Amino acid sequence: MTRMSSRRPAPSCRPPGALVLVLLVAALFPGCAIFPHGAYWPSYESRLTERAAAERGPDSATSRDLLAACETSAGRATLQKAVTRRWSNDGLAESARDMDARAGRWVYADAMRTVVWFYVDPVTYGDLVAAGIRSLRAALDNSTFRARFGEADDAAKRARFAETLEILFLKARAADPWFAFQAADWLAVTMEKNRAMLGLPDGAVVAEFLFGAMDSLDPYTRFLTPEMLHALRQQTKGAYTGIGARIASRGGRIFLAEVFDGGAAATAGLKAGDEITAIEEQAVQGLSLTDVSRRLRGKRGMKVRVSVRPGGHGRTRSVVLERSVVRLPSVSHARLIEGEEGIGYLRLTAFKSGTEKELRRAVGTLAEQGAAAIILDLRGNPGGTLLEAIGAAGVFLARGRVTRTRGRALGATWTYDVPLLARRQWRGPLAVLINERTASAAEVLAAALAQRGRAVLVGRRTFGKGAAQINVSIRGGAGAVCVTVARVYDPDDACIEGRGVEPNRDVKQPGEPVRNLRDDPAVRAAVEVLRAALAEKQVSAVRAARRAFLLKTALSDNR
């Protein structure tokens, strides 16, 4: 069994072909992101209501009958939702108008080549081209798309172009191109037909081919524009530009889940539990968490007006917040629980650069303060860097397996053990809190701790993201492809994707934010579990002391 510490791949600025996978799945993000950002990303909400995925085997072939799938009402609704999401973004619309046909063709060919080479399941260029055509066809029926591009307003021209796309769809699937340049030829043909029949910007056609192909694979494989790639790199380092707060959705309403010290939200006196009702005097009702997050972010120094309802009740008040660079710690709220002697609590928000070191410091501080048991809160943790999650496991586990990944490309199949030189820091009782928003690398850690008999899981079944991605740059700095390269398995070799991790003790979450830890039902349940573990540990210690005393007495008598 290979040790991660002895074969950790070296970073590379430009992935050298298939060898990029020696980077080993450095990102386990829901949608390749630590925090929701950008209009292109799938929201947690859409996935949480689709539990049918748990019944589907994780290893189904990627090739599928796209036409039949899209003829269903669910398929059409999914396509329309994706089109609306991406074209709600002003930046994408501007980029589409600025892109020329030749540049778009090169970007598309490079992106499709990346997917065919690296994607976890076999996929053909024919499938990807057909998916792009189908997505462009769906965009013609989308009001948001037509609002962006007035060229699509002529119903007669739109209908003729739609018929042409249907024919191209069938021809592309029958032709089944073998190479990326052949796939790009189908894009070129479609752009020529568009110029002659409708007149959309070439960039709009390229964008639908790109995003439509990615959307047909899984919720995580995505094309990243340069802006999105920059934001992702910032977040991986634990920093972003915004108002200094983490938001959450409950019952269709948007709340501040956490306010970070030093940020604009904290300076304005906003607190966790306050409800956001409007941004720039536009109501947030009906918007996804991703859309709200995107509107709150922006350039450093730019101001945004936010309407909030303190505590989610009463009158709203309007505050103007100046966006700034916010550096987010991975570990927060590390303290002893008031009124629960000897039980410590800490929250792990994400896995990014430096998470293992932060966790070790927090655990050490709790131990110095007299903690005999610890509650590790992974609720709402969307994942992050896999290697940091492996390092975090070494804080609590002895040597042994943490997780395993499997994929087609070189380096995608790998067994991850506790790092060889990792020092196990905490040996006492441990309870881990999980919920529907615990995802990706956080699920890896929770599953390892539970299945290795090291912790009791309390809460709700996790999100079920067992897919690992890498970012492969597109030539010329045109962006990158965040592509799923492997599926992730727990120590018992069960795939996490679509199934999640089950708690040992199921506890429902309150509908409203909880301000006091002792009012949190999951925390109370974890305290009960840890109290029982401490009592059992104490009984075992008394028995061991008694046995030692009897042995000593027996030896004295024999003398």
Side-chain angles (χ1 to χ4, degrees), residues 219-262:
Y220 318 116
T221 297
R222 284 290 178 270
F223 179 78
L224 306 175
T225 64
E227 297 80 12
M228 295 164 65
L229 185 59
H230 174 71
L232 177 60
R233 286 170 175 165
Q234 270 195 322
Q235 293 162 7
T236 305
K237 295 177 181 178
Y240 80 102
T241 304
I243 65 170
R246 182 173 63 86
I247 61 175
S249 175
R250 295 186 181 90
R253 301 160 68 188
I254 305 298
F255 291 89
L256 296 179
E258 187 174 2
V259 176
F260 305 116
D261 293 338

Side-chain angles (χ1 to χ4, degrees), residues 189-206:
V189 169
T190 305
M191 287 192 289
E192 289 175 6
K193 296 289 185 183
N194 163 63
R195 294 189 205 106
M197 303 177 71
L198 192 59
L200 292 170
D202 288 331
V205 177
V206 173

Side-chain angles (χ1 to χ4, degrees), residues 394-519:
V395 177
F396 306 103
L397 292 175
R399 295 170 59 181
R401 178 183 293 191
V402 177
T403 189
R404 181 177 175 83
T405 59
R406 291 191 179 96
R408 290 190 303 132
L410 177 65
T413 298
W414 204 270
T415 298
Y416 293 86
D417 292 346
V418 172
L420 184 61
L421 300 180
R423 178 176 59 87
R424 183 180 177 186
Q425 189 168 352
W426 182 257
R427 299 173 183 270
L430 180 67
V432 177
L433 306 186
I434 57 175
N435 65 3
E436 299 92 336
R437 299 177 189 278
T438 303
S440 196
E443 292 176 283
V444 168
L445 177 59
L449 293 175
Q451 293 175 11
R452 295 275 303 274
R454 189 61 193 85
V456 176
L457 303 185
V458 178
R460 305 290 286 176
R461 182 156 66 102
T462 62
F463 183 76
K465 181 186 182 292
Q469 292 77 39
I470 59 170
N471 297 328
V472 182
S473 298
I474 298 298
R475 286 176 292 181
V481 177
C482 176
V483 57
T484 297
V485 294
R487 291 191 178 87
V488 182
Y489 296 77
D490 62 27
D492 289 343
D493 222 24
C495 186
I496 295 173
E497 175 64 22
R499 294 186 175 91
V501 180
E502 292 283 354
N504 301 111
R505 184 165 176 176
D506 193 281
V507 178
K508 290 185 178 180
Q509 293 296 111
E512 297 293 328
V514 176
R515 292 179 179 270
N516 193 318
L517 280 179
R518 297 184 66 185
D519 296 332

